[in-house]
Amino acid sequence: LTTLEGTSSIHFSGEYVVVNGLVFQNGEGERHVIEFKTGNGVYANHSTLSECVIKDYNPADKTVQTTWVSLWGKDSQENHHLITHNYFGYRPPLGSNGGETMRIGTSHVSLSNSQTRVVENYFEHCSGEVEIISVKSCENEIVGNTFYECEGSVVLRHGNRNVVDGNVFIGNDKKNTGGVRVVNEGHRISGNVFYKLA
């Protein structure tokens, strides 16, 4: 593993890029800690983020908006990214919009297919805002993840035909913990476990 501290971040573009084994800790992220683009129109496609850790990597100023993982690709369309076997933990409430742990797409491209897969990750106390994972695109899969005492939900905010399957949401009666919030059509939500959510 490689540890990054201070105000480190990573921005990458290209085809079939694999980012593996990074640990972000003892610092604070910029606007995006991990971003799947290096500039306007310069995106990553078919890329993988795996076995990484983002832990307690929050700005000291709670009014600063940050997204830990920001996914892009061909204007967020048909990028086929894979986010798997990562740990995301200890993100305090921001108190407003803009504190997502992960965002897949934007409102502008919400009716386009992203086809990103978020599989078997562990989210612990990811409470930046009400959207832990904000999905604003179509045909994504959120599968087999664990959300432990996160104040927020997986939110299918914009877009259609997304899958949320086999995830475990453990709230332990902690305030503001949630499961899945659904907007739009054609989604499949199945096989999830919701335990003591507020």
Side-chain angles (χ1 to χ4, degrees), residues 26-92:
N26 299 325
E28 59 182 67
E30 297 178 340
R31 176 73 179 98
H32 307 279
V33 178
I34 299 174
E35 187 172 29
F36 284 54
K37 76 173 186 175
T38 55
N40 283 340
V42 186
Y43 303 113
N45 295 294
H46 297 94
S47 295
T48 300
L49 176 68
S50 66
E51 299 179 7
C52 292
V53 172
I54 303 178
K55 182 177 180 184
D56 290 322
Y57 210 67
N58 306 295
D61 180 355
K62 283 189 173 185
T63 65
V64 175
Q65 297 183 359
T66 60
T67 302
W68 278 2
V69 180
S70 222
L71 301 165
W72 301 83
K74 299 179 186 175
D75 295 325
S76 298
Q77 301 173 46
E78 298 185 9
N79 50 45
H80 302 276
H81 296 313
L82 174 62
I83 312 300
T84 187
H85 293 94
N86 301 287
Y87 171 85
F88 304 101
Y90 295 90
R91 189 169 168 100

Short mmCIF file of all heavy atoms in Angstrom, two decimals, residues 26-92:
data_model
loop_
_atom_site.label_atom_id
_atom_site.label_comp_id
_atom_site.label_asym_id
_atom_site.label_seq_id
_atom_site.Cartn_x
_atom_site.Cartn_y
_atom_site.Cartn_z
N ASN A 26 -4.57 11.20 7.38
CA ASN A 26 -3.80 12.27 8.00
C ASN A 26 -3.73 13.52 7.13
O ASN A 26 -2.67 14.07 6.88
CB ASN A 26 -2.37 11.81 8.35
CG ASN A 26 -2.37 10.67 9.33
OD1 ASN A 26 -3.20 10.58 10.21
ND2 ASN A 26 -1.43 9.75 9.15
N GLY A 27 -4.89 13.92 6.64
CA GLY A 27 -4.92 15.11 5.82
C GLY A 27 -6.33 15.47 5.44
O GLY A 27 -7.28 15.06 6.09
N GLU A 28 -6.46 16.22 4.37
CA GLU A 28 -7.78 16.61 3.88
C GLU A 28 -7.76 16.69 2.37
O GLU A 28 -6.77 17.08 1.77
CB GLU A 28 -8.21 17.95 4.47
CG GLU A 28 -7.29 19.11 4.18
CD GLU A 28 -7.76 20.38 4.85
OE1 GLU A 28 -7.75 20.45 6.09
OE2 GLU A 28 -8.15 21.30 4.11
N GLY A 29 -8.85 16.28 1.79
CA GLY A 29 -8.95 16.25 0.35
C GLY A 29 -9.23 17.61 -0.25
O GLY A 29 -9.67 18.53 0.42
N GLU A 30 -8.94 17.71 -1.53
CA GLU A 30 -9.34 18.88 -2.28
C GLU A 30 -10.80 18.70 -2.68
O GLU A 30 -11.51 17.90 -2.10
CB GLU A 30 -8.44 19.02 -3.51
CG GLU A 30 -6.98 19.23 -3.17
CD GLU A 30 -6.11 19.30 -4.39
OE1 GLU A 30 -6.52 18.82 -5.47
OE2 GLU A 30 -5.00 19.86 -4.29
N ARG A 31 -11.26 19.40 -3.69
CA ARG A 31 -12.65 19.30 -4.14
C ARG A 31 -13.02 17.86 -4.44
O ARG A 31 -14.09 17.39 -4.14
CB ARG A 31 -12.84 20.18 -5.38
CG ARG A 31 -14.21 20.10 -6.02
CD ARG A 31 -15.26 20.80 -5.16
NE ARG A 31 -16.57 20.74 -5.79
CZ ARG A 31 -17.49 19.85 -5.48
NH1 ARG A 31 -17.29 18.93 -4.57
NH2 ARG A 31 -18.66 19.85 -6.07
N HIS A 32 -12.10 17.10 -5.06
CA HIS A 32 -12.28 15.67 -5.34
C HIS A 32 -11.01 14.96 -4.89
O HIS A 32 -9.92 15.30 -5.34
CB HIS A 32 -12.49 15.42 -6.84
CG HIS A 32 -13.59 16.23 -7.44
ND1 HIS A 32 -14.91 15.87 -7.33
CD2 HIS A 32 -13.57 17.40 -8.12
CE1 HIS A 32 -15.66 16.77 -7.94
NE2 HIS A 32 -14.88 17.71 -8.41
N VAL A 33 -11.13 13.97 -4.02
CA VAL A 33 -9.96 13.22 -3.58
C VAL A 33 -9.48 12.29 -4.70
O VAL A 33 -8.31 12.28 -5.06
CB VAL A 33 -10.26 12.42 -2.29
CG1 VAL A 33 -9.05 11.59 -1.87
CG2 VAL A 33 -10.68 13.36 -1.17
N ILE A 34 -10.40 11.52 -5.27
CA ILE A 34 -10.09 10.67 -6.42
C ILE A 34 -11.05 11.06 -7.54
O ILE A 34 -12.27 10.99 -7.37
CB ILE A 34 -10.24 9.18 -6.08
CG1 ILE A 34 -9.28 8.78 -4.96
CG2 ILE A 34 -10.01 8.32 -7.32
CD1 ILE A 34 -9.47 7.36 -4.45
N GLU A 35 -10.50 11.50 -8.65
CA GLU A 35 -11.34 11.97 -9.75
C GLU A 35 -10.94 11.27 -11.05
O GLU A 35 -9.76 11.24 -11.40
CB GLU A 35 -11.22 13.48 -9.90
CG GLU A 35 -12.20 14.07 -10.90
CD GLU A 35 -12.20 15.59 -10.89
OE1 GLU A 35 -11.16 16.19 -10.58
OE2 GLU A 35 -13.25 16.16 -11.20
N PHE A 36 -11.94 10.76 -11.74
CA PHE A 36 -11.72 10.01 -12.97
C PHE A 36 -11.68 10.97 -14.18
O PHE A 36 -12.32 10.75 -15.19
CB PHE A 36 -12.83 8.98 -13.16
CG PHE A 36 -12.70 7.76 -12.28
CD1 PHE A 36 -12.58 7.86 -10.90
CD2 PHE A 36 -12.72 6.49 -12.84
CE1 PHE A 36 -12.49 6.73 -10.10
CE2 PHE A 36 -12.63 5.35 -12.04
CZ PHE A 36 -12.50 5.47 -10.67
N LYS A 37 -10.89 12.03 -14.07
CA LYS A 37 -10.63 12.94 -15.19
C LYS A 37 -9.45 13.83 -14.83
O LYS A 37 -9.14 14.03 -13.66
CB LYS A 37 -11.84 13.78 -15.55
CG LYS A 37 -12.15 14.93 -14.64
CD LYS A 37 -13.28 15.79 -15.22
CE LYS A 37 -13.50 17.03 -14.37
NZ LYS A 37 -14.48 17.91 -14.98
N THR A 38 -8.75 14.34 -15.84
CA THR A 38 -7.61 15.22 -15.62
C THR A 38 -7.84 16.62 -16.17
O THR A 38 -6.98 17.47 -16.06
CB THR A 38 -6.33 14.63 -16.25
OG1 THR A 38 -6.56 14.35 -17.63
CG2 THR A 38 -5.91 13.35 -15.52
N GLY A 39 -8.98 16.87 -16.75
CA GLY A 39 -9.31 18.19 -17.27
C GLY A 39 -10.62 18.13 -18.01
O GLY A 39 -11.23 17.07 -18.15
N ASN A 40 -11.08 19.28 -18.47
CA ASN A 40 -12.34 19.31 -19.23
C ASN A 40 -12.23 18.44 -20.47
O ASN A 40 -11.35 18.65 -21.31
CB ASN A 40 -12.69 20.75 -19.64
CG ASN A 40 -13.24 21.54 -18.48
OD1 ASN A 40 -13.69 20.96 -17.50
ND2 ASN A 40 -13.19 22.85 -18.59
N GLY A 41 -13.09 17.44 -20.54
CA GLY A 41 -13.11 16.55 -21.70
C GLY A 41 -12.02 15.49 -21.72
O GLY A 41 -11.90 14.75 -22.69
N VAL A 42 -11.21 15.41 -20.67
CA VAL A 42 -10.13 14.42 -20.61
C VAL A 42 -10.48 13.43 -19.50
O VAL A 42 -10.18 13.66 -18.33
CB VAL A 42 -8.76 15.08 -20.35
CG1 VAL A 42 -7.65 14.03 -20.44
CG2 VAL A 42 -8.51 16.21 -21.33
N TYR A 43 -11.12 12.32 -19.86
CA TYR A 43 -11.72 11.42 -18.90
C TYR A 43 -11.06 10.05 -18.89
O TYR A 43 -10.32 9.69 -19.80
CB TYR A 43 -13.21 11.22 -19.24
CG TYR A 43 -14.00 12.51 -19.29
CD1 TYR A 43 -14.53 12.97 -20.49
CD2 TYR A 43 -14.21 13.25 -18.14
CE1 TYR A 43 -15.24 14.15 -20.53
CE2 TYR A 43 -14.92 14.42 -18.17
CZ TYR A 43 -15.43 14.88 -19.37
OH TYR A 43 -16.14 16.05 -19.41
N ALA A 44 -11.40 9.30 -17.85
CA ALA A 44 -11.03 7.88 -17.78
C ALA A 44 -12.22 7.05 -18.23
O ALA A 44 -13.36 7.44 -18.01
CB ALA A 44 -10.64 7.51 -16.34
N ASN A 45 -11.96 5.93 -18.85
CA ASN A 45 -13.01 5.01 -19.27
C ASN A 45 -12.56 3.58 -18.98
O ASN A 45 -11.38 3.27 -19.02
CB ASN A 45 -13.30 5.16 -20.77
CG ASN A 45 -13.86 6.52 -21.09
OD1 ASN A 45 -14.96 6.85 -20.68
ND2 ASN A 45 -13.09 7.34 -21.79
N HIS A 46 -13.53 2.71 -18.66
CA HIS A 46 -13.24 1.31 -18.36
C HIS A 46 -12.16 1.18 -17.29
O HIS A 46 -11.28 0.33 -17.38
CB HIS A 46 -12.80 0.55 -19.62
CG HIS A 46 -13.84 0.49 -20.69
ND1 HIS A 46 -13.90 1.41 -21.70
CD2 HIS A 46 -14.87 -0.36 -20.89
CE1 HIS A 46 -14.92 1.12 -22.49
NE2 HIS A 46 -15.52 0.04 -22.02
N SER A 47 -12.19 2.03 -16.28
CA SER A 47 -11.13 2.06 -15.28
C SER A 47 -11.59 1.44 -13.96
O SER A 47 -12.78 1.34 -13.68
CB SER A 47 -10.65 3.49 -15.07
OG SER A 47 -10.04 3.96 -16.26
N THR A 48 -10.61 1.04 -13.13
CA THR A 48 -10.89 0.32 -11.88
C THR A 48 -10.21 1.02 -10.71
O THR A 48 -9.02 1.36 -10.79
CB THR A 48 -10.37 -1.12 -11.97
OG1 THR A 48 -11.02 -1.79 -13.05
CG2 THR A 48 -10.61 -1.88 -10.67
N LEU A 49 -10.97 1.18 -9.62
CA LEU A 49 -10.44 1.65 -8.35
C LEU A 49 -10.64 0.51 -7.36
O LEU A 49 -11.77 0.10 -7.11
CB LEU A 49 -11.20 2.90 -7.88
CG LEU A 49 -10.81 3.45 -6.50
CD1 LEU A 49 -9.40 4.01 -6.54
CD2 LEU A 49 -11.80 4.52 -6.08
N SER A 50 -9.54 -0.02 -6.82
CA SER A 50 -9.68 -1.18 -5.94
C SER A 50 -8.67 -1.14 -4.80
O SER A 50 -7.58 -0.59 -4.93
CB SER A 50 -9.52 -2.49 -6.72
OG SER A 50 -8.21 -2.61 -7.22
N GLU A 51 -9.07 -1.76 -3.68
CA GLU A 51 -8.23 -1.94 -2.51
C GLU A 51 -7.59 -0.64 -2.05
O GLU A 51 -6.41 -0.60 -1.66
CB GLU A 51 -7.18 -3.03 -2.78
CG GLU A 51 -7.83 -4.38 -3.07
CD GLU A 51 -6.84 -5.47 -3.37
OE1 GLU A 51 -5.63 -5.25 -3.24
OE2 GLU A 51 -7.29 -6.57 -3.74
N CYS A 52 -8.37 0.45 -2.09
CA CYS A 52 -7.92 1.75 -1.60
C CYS A 52 -8.66 2.09 -0.31
O CYS A 52 -9.71 1.52 -0.01
CB CYS A 52 -8.19 2.83 -2.64
SG CYS A 52 -7.16 2.65 -4.13
N VAL A 53 -8.08 3.03 0.44
CA VAL A 53 -8.67 3.47 1.69
C VAL A 53 -8.71 5.00 1.69
O VAL A 53 -7.72 5.64 1.36
CB VAL A 53 -7.82 3.00 2.91
CG1 VAL A 53 -8.32 3.63 4.20
CG2 VAL A 53 -7.82 1.48 3.00
N ILE A 54 -9.87 5.55 2.05
CA ILE A 54 -9.96 6.97 2.37
C ILE A 54 -10.51 7.03 3.78
O ILE A 54 -11.65 6.64 4.03
CB ILE A 54 -10.87 7.74 1.39
CG1 ILE A 54 -10.39 7.58 -0.05
CG2 ILE A 54 -10.92 9.22 1.77
CD1 ILE A 54 -11.27 8.27 -1.08
N LYS A 55 -9.67 7.51 4.72
CA LYS A 55 -10.04 7.46 6.13
C LYS A 55 -9.79 8.81 6.79
O LYS A 55 -8.67 9.32 6.75
CB LYS A 55 -9.23 6.37 6.85
CG LYS A 55 -9.58 6.23 8.31
CD LYS A 55 -8.80 5.10 8.96
CE LYS A 55 -9.19 4.98 10.42
NZ LYS A 55 -8.41 3.98 11.11
N ASP A 56 -10.85 9.37 7.41
CA ASP A 56 -10.74 10.65 8.12
C ASP A 56 -10.06 11.71 7.26
O ASP A 56 -9.19 12.45 7.74
CB ASP A 56 -9.95 10.48 9.42
CG ASP A 56 -10.71 9.69 10.46
OD1 ASP A 56 -11.92 9.87 10.56
OD2 ASP A 56 -10.07 8.90 11.17
N TYR A 57 -10.40 11.80 6.02
CA TYR A 57 -9.73 12.71 5.08
C TYR A 57 -10.67 13.86 4.75
O TYR A 57 -11.18 13.97 3.63
CB TYR A 57 -9.34 11.91 3.84
CG TYR A 57 -8.11 12.42 3.13
CD1 TYR A 57 -6.86 12.34 3.74
CD2 TYR A 57 -8.18 12.98 1.88
CE1 TYR A 57 -5.72 12.79 3.10
CE2 TYR A 57 -7.05 13.43 1.23
CZ TYR A 57 -5.82 13.35 1.85
OH TYR A 57 -4.70 13.80 1.21
N ASN A 58 -10.91 14.70 5.75
CA ASN A 58 -11.95 15.74 5.65
C ASN A 58 -11.36 17.11 5.89
O ASN A 58 -10.47 17.28 6.72
CB ASN A 58 -13.03 15.48 6.71
CG ASN A 58 -13.57 14.07 6.61
OD1 ASN A 58 -14.18 13.71 5.62
ND2 ASN A 58 -13.33 13.26 7.63
N PRO A 59 -11.87 18.13 5.18
CA PRO A 59 -11.39 19.49 5.42
C PRO A 59 -11.71 19.94 6.85
O PRO A 59 -12.75 19.59 7.41
CB PRO A 59 -12.19 20.33 4.42
CG PRO A 59 -12.73 19.38 3.43
CD PRO A 59 -12.86 18.06 4.12
N ALA A 60 -10.79 20.72 7.44
CA ALA A 60 -11.03 21.26 8.77
C ALA A 60 -12.24 22.20 8.76
O ALA A 60 -13.01 22.26 9.71
CB ALA A 60 -9.79 21.98 9.27
N ASP A 61 -12.41 22.90 7.65
CA ASP A 61 -13.55 23.81 7.47
C ASP A 61 -14.73 23.01 6.91
O ASP A 61 -14.71 22.59 5.76
CB ASP A 61 -13.17 24.94 6.52
CG ASP A 61 -14.28 25.94 6.28
OD1 ASP A 61 -15.42 25.73 6.77
OD2 ASP A 61 -14.02 26.94 5.58
N LYS A 62 -15.76 22.81 7.73
CA LYS A 62 -16.89 21.97 7.31
C LYS A 62 -17.70 22.58 6.17
O LYS A 62 -18.52 21.91 5.57
CB LYS A 62 -17.82 21.72 8.50
CG LYS A 62 -17.30 20.69 9.45
CD LYS A 62 -18.37 20.34 10.46
CE LYS A 62 -17.96 19.19 11.33
NZ LYS A 62 -19.01 18.76 12.24
N THR A 63 -17.49 23.86 5.85
CA THR A 63 -18.25 24.48 4.75
C THR A 63 -17.64 24.16 3.39
O THR A 63 -18.22 24.46 2.36
CB THR A 63 -18.34 26.01 4.93
OG1 THR A 63 -17.02 26.57 4.83
CG2 THR A 63 -18.97 26.37 6.26
N VAL A 64 -16.46 23.57 3.38
CA VAL A 64 -15.80 23.21 2.12
C VAL A 64 -16.42 21.92 1.59
O VAL A 64 -16.43 20.89 2.27
CB VAL A 64 -14.28 23.02 2.34
CG1 VAL A 64 -13.61 22.52 1.06
CG2 VAL A 64 -13.64 24.32 2.79
N GLN A 65 -16.93 21.98 0.37
CA GLN A 65 -17.57 20.81 -0.24
C GLN A 65 -16.52 19.92 -0.90
O GLN A 65 -15.68 20.40 -1.67
CB GLN A 65 -18.60 21.25 -1.27
CG GLN A 65 -19.74 22.04 -0.68
CD GLN A 65 -20.78 22.41 -1.72
OE1 GLN A 65 -20.65 22.10 -2.89
NE2 GLN A 65 -21.83 23.08 -1.27
N THR A 66 -16.55 18.63 -0.57
CA THR A 66 -15.65 17.67 -1.21
C THR A 66 -16.41 16.39 -1.53
O THR A 66 -17.32 16.01 -0.80
CB THR A 66 -14.47 17.30 -0.29
OG1 THR A 66 -14.97 16.72 0.91
CG2 THR A 66 -13.59 18.48 0.03
N THR A 67 -16.04 15.77 -2.62
CA THR A 67 -16.52 14.45 -2.97
C THR A 67 -15.31 13.53 -2.95
O THR A 67 -14.30 13.82 -3.59
CB THR A 67 -17.18 14.46 -4.37
OG1 THR A 67 -18.26 15.39 -4.37
CG2 THR A 67 -17.70 13.09 -4.75
N TRP A 68 -15.38 12.45 -2.20
CA TRP A 68 -14.22 11.58 -2.10
C TRP A 68 -13.91 10.89 -3.42
O TRP A 68 -12.77 10.78 -3.82
CB TRP A 68 -14.42 10.56 -0.98
CG TRP A 68 -14.11 11.13 0.37
CD1 TRP A 68 -13.72 12.41 0.66
CD2 TRP A 68 -14.14 10.43 1.60
NE1 TRP A 68 -13.53 12.54 2.01
CE2 TRP A 68 -13.77 11.34 2.62
CE3 TRP A 68 -14.46 9.13 1.96
CZ2 TRP A 68 -13.71 10.98 3.95
CZ3 TRP A 68 -14.40 8.77 3.30
CH2 TRP A 68 -14.02 9.69 4.29
N VAL A 69 -14.92 10.38 -4.12
CA VAL A 69 -14.70 9.70 -5.41
C VAL A 69 -15.67 10.30 -6.41
O VAL A 69 -16.88 10.23 -6.25
CB VAL A 69 -14.92 8.18 -5.32
CG1 VAL A 69 -14.70 7.53 -6.68
CG2 VAL A 69 -14.00 7.56 -4.28
N SER A 70 -15.14 10.91 -7.46
CA SER A 70 -15.96 11.55 -8.50
C SER A 70 -15.70 10.83 -9.82
O SER A 70 -14.57 10.81 -10.32
CB SER A 70 -15.57 13.02 -8.63
OG SER A 70 -16.68 13.83 -8.75
N LEU A 71 -16.75 10.22 -10.35
CA LEU A 71 -16.62 9.40 -11.55
C LEU A 71 -17.02 10.17 -12.80
O LEU A 71 -18.07 10.82 -12.83
CB LEU A 71 -17.49 8.15 -11.41
CG LEU A 71 -17.13 7.29 -10.20
CD1 LEU A 71 -18.21 6.30 -9.89
CD2 LEU A 71 -15.82 6.60 -10.45
N TRP A 72 -16.19 10.09 -13.80
CA TRP A 72 -16.44 10.73 -15.09
C TRP A 72 -16.10 9.74 -16.20
O TRP A 72 -15.49 8.71 -15.96
CB TRP A 72 -15.56 11.97 -15.26
CG TRP A 72 -15.74 13.01 -14.22
CD1 TRP A 72 -15.15 13.04 -12.97
CD2 TRP A 72 -16.57 14.16 -14.28
NE1 TRP A 72 -15.56 14.15 -12.28
CE2 TRP A 72 -16.43 14.86 -13.06
CE3 TRP A 72 -17.41 14.68 -15.26
CZ2 TRP A 72 -17.10 16.04 -12.80
CZ3 TRP A 72 -18.06 15.86 -14.99
CH2 TRP A 72 -17.91 16.53 -13.78
N GLY A 73 -16.42 10.12 -17.41
CA GLY A 73 -16.06 9.30 -18.57
C GLY A 73 -16.95 9.64 -19.73
O GLY A 73 -18.16 9.51 -19.63
N LYS A 74 -16.38 10.13 -20.81
CA LYS A 74 -17.17 10.52 -21.98
C LYS A 74 -18.37 11.35 -21.54
O LYS A 74 -19.52 11.02 -21.84
CB LYS A 74 -17.64 9.30 -22.76
CG LYS A 74 -16.53 8.43 -23.30
CD LYS A 74 -17.12 7.22 -24.04
CE LYS A 74 -16.02 6.27 -24.46
NZ LYS A 74 -16.55 5.05 -25.06
N ASP A 75 -18.13 12.42 -20.80
CA ASP A 75 -19.19 13.24 -20.21
C ASP A 75 -20.07 12.39 -19.30
O ASP A 75 -21.29 12.53 -19.29
CB ASP A 75 -20.05 13.91 -21.28
CG ASP A 75 -19.24 14.91 -22.08
OD1 ASP A 75 -18.36 15.57 -21.49
OD2 ASP A 75 -19.49 15.05 -23.28
N SER A 76 -19.45 11.49 -18.54
CA SER A 76 -20.10 10.58 -17.59
C SER A 76 -20.95 9.52 -18.27
O SER A 76 -21.81 8.93 -17.65
CB SER A 76 -20.95 11.36 -16.58
OG SER A 76 -20.14 12.21 -15.82
N GLN A 77 -20.72 9.28 -19.53
CA GLN A 77 -21.54 8.33 -20.26
C GLN A 77 -20.74 7.09 -20.61
O GLN A 77 -19.61 7.17 -21.07
CB GLN A 77 -22.06 8.98 -21.54
CG GLN A 77 -22.88 10.24 -21.28
CD GLN A 77 -23.23 10.94 -22.56
OE1 GLN A 77 -23.64 10.31 -23.51
NE2 GLN A 77 -23.05 12.24 -22.58
N GLU A 78 -21.37 5.93 -20.38
CA GLU A 78 -20.81 4.64 -20.77
C GLU A 78 -19.34 4.51 -20.44
O GLU A 78 -18.52 4.12 -21.27
CB GLU A 78 -21.07 4.39 -22.27
CG GLU A 78 -22.55 4.36 -22.58
CD GLU A 78 -22.87 4.01 -24.02
OE1 GLU A 78 -21.95 3.62 -24.76
OE2 GLU A 78 -24.04 4.12 -24.38
N ASN A 79 -19.00 4.81 -19.17
CA ASN A 79 -17.60 4.74 -18.81
C ASN A 79 -17.18 3.38 -18.27
O ASN A 79 -16.01 3.07 -18.22
CB ASN A 79 -17.23 5.83 -17.80
CG ASN A 79 -18.17 5.88 -16.63
OD1 ASN A 79 -18.51 4.84 -16.07
ND2 ASN A 79 -18.60 7.06 -16.26
N HIS A 80 -18.14 2.55 -17.85
CA HIS A 80 -17.85 1.17 -17.44
C HIS A 80 -16.80 1.06 -16.33
O HIS A 80 -15.98 0.16 -16.34
CB HIS A 80 -17.42 0.32 -18.64
CG HIS A 80 -18.42 0.26 -19.74
ND1 HIS A 80 -19.47 -0.63 -19.75
CD2 HIS A 80 -18.53 1.00 -20.87
CE1 HIS A 80 -20.18 -0.44 -20.85
NE2 HIS A 80 -19.64 0.55 -21.53
N HIS A 81 -16.80 1.98 -15.36
CA HIS A 81 -15.84 1.92 -14.26
C HIS A 81 -16.21 0.82 -13.27
O HIS A 81 -17.37 0.44 -13.14
CB HIS A 81 -15.77 3.25 -13.53
CG HIS A 81 -15.26 4.38 -14.36
ND1 HIS A 81 -14.14 4.29 -15.16
CD2 HIS A 81 -15.72 5.65 -14.53
CE1 HIS A 81 -13.95 5.44 -15.77
NE2 HIS A 81 -14.89 6.28 -15.41
N LEU A 82 -15.21 0.36 -12.52
CA LEU A 82 -15.42 -0.61 -11.45
C LEU A 82 -14.78 -0.06 -10.18
O LEU A 82 -13.58 0.25 -10.16
CB LEU A 82 -14.78 -1.95 -11.81
CG LEU A 82 -14.79 -3.02 -10.71
CD1 LEU A 82 -16.21 -3.40 -10.32
CD2 LEU A 82 -13.99 -4.24 -11.16
N ILE A 83 -15.58 0.07 -9.12
CA ILE A 83 -15.11 0.51 -7.81
C ILE A 83 -15.31 -0.69 -6.89
O ILE A 83 -16.45 -1.05 -6.58
CB ILE A 83 -15.93 1.71 -7.28
CG1 ILE A 83 -16.07 2.79 -8.35
CG2 ILE A 83 -15.32 2.25 -6.00
CD1 ILE A 83 -14.80 3.37 -8.85
N THR A 84 -14.22 -1.34 -6.46
CA THR A 84 -14.39 -2.59 -5.73
C THR A 84 -13.36 -2.78 -4.63
O THR A 84 -12.20 -2.36 -4.77
CB THR A 84 -14.35 -3.79 -6.71
OG1 THR A 84 -14.68 -4.98 -6.00
CG2 THR A 84 -13.00 -3.96 -7.37
N HIS A 85 -13.80 -3.37 -3.53
CA HIS A 85 -12.95 -3.75 -2.40
C HIS A 85 -12.17 -2.56 -1.82
O HIS A 85 -10.97 -2.65 -1.56
CB HIS A 85 -12.00 -4.89 -2.78
CG HIS A 85 -12.72 -6.16 -3.07
ND1 HIS A 85 -13.11 -6.54 -4.35
CD2 HIS A 85 -13.17 -7.14 -2.25
CE1 HIS A 85 -13.75 -7.69 -4.29
NE2 HIS A 85 -13.81 -8.08 -3.02
N ASN A 86 -12.86 -1.44 -1.64
CA ASN A 86 -12.28 -0.25 -1.02
C ASN A 86 -12.90 -0.01 0.34
O ASN A 86 -13.98 -0.51 0.65
CB ASN A 86 -12.52 0.98 -1.91
CG ASN A 86 -11.92 0.82 -3.28
OD1 ASN A 86 -10.72 0.87 -3.46
ND2 ASN A 86 -12.78 0.61 -4.28
N TYR A 87 -12.21 0.80 1.15
CA TYR A 87 -12.73 1.22 2.45
C TYR A 87 -12.87 2.74 2.45
O TYR A 87 -11.93 3.47 2.11
CB TYR A 87 -11.77 0.81 3.57
CG TYR A 87 -12.16 1.40 4.91
CD1 TYR A 87 -13.11 0.78 5.72
CD2 TYR A 87 -11.60 2.60 5.35
CE1 TYR A 87 -13.49 1.34 6.93
CE2 TYR A 87 -11.97 3.16 6.56
CZ TYR A 87 -12.91 2.53 7.35
OH TYR A 87 -13.29 3.09 8.54
N PHE A 88 -14.07 3.21 2.82
CA PHE A 88 -14.33 4.63 2.96
C PHE A 88 -14.85 4.86 4.37
O PHE A 88 -15.87 4.27 4.75
CB PHE A 88 -15.38 5.09 1.95
CG PHE A 88 -15.02 4.77 0.52
CD1 PHE A 88 -15.59 3.69 -0.13
CD2 PHE A 88 -14.09 5.53 -0.17
CE1 PHE A 88 -15.25 3.38 -1.45
CE2 PHE A 88 -13.74 5.23 -1.47
CZ PHE A 88 -14.33 4.16 -2.12
N GLY A 89 -14.16 5.69 5.15
CA GLY A 89 -14.60 5.80 6.52
C GLY A 89 -14.38 7.12 7.21
O GLY A 89 -13.45 7.85 6.90
N TYR A 90 -15.31 7.39 8.11
CA TYR A 90 -15.28 8.52 9.02
C TYR A 90 -15.29 9.86 8.28
O TYR A 90 -14.30 10.55 8.16
CB TYR A 90 -14.12 8.39 10.00
CG TYR A 90 -14.32 7.19 10.88
CD1 TYR A 90 -13.83 5.95 10.52
CD2 TYR A 90 -15.08 7.30 12.04
CE1 TYR A 90 -14.07 4.83 11.30
CE2 TYR A 90 -15.32 6.18 12.83
CZ TYR A 90 -14.82 4.96 12.46
OH TYR A 90 -15.06 3.86 13.22
N ARG A 91 -16.50 10.14 7.80
CA ARG A 91 -16.76 11.41 7.12
C ARG A 91 -17.85 12.12 7.90
O ARG A 91 -19.02 11.72 7.86
CB ARG A 91 -17.21 11.11 5.69
CG ARG A 91 -17.30 12.33 4.85
CD ARG A 91 -17.50 11.93 3.40
NE ARG A 91 -17.86 13.10 2.65
CZ ARG A 91 -17.02 13.79 1.90
NH1 ARG A 91 -15.79 13.39 1.78
NH2 ARG A 91 -17.42 14.86 1.27
N PRO A 92 -17.50 13.20 8.65
CA PRO A 92 -18.50 13.87 9.49
C PRO A 92 -19.51 14.64 8.66
O PRO A 92 -19.24 15.00 7.51
CB PRO A 92 -17.65 14.80 10.35
CG PRO A 92 -16.44 15.09 9.54
CD PRO A 92 -16.18 13.83 8.74
#
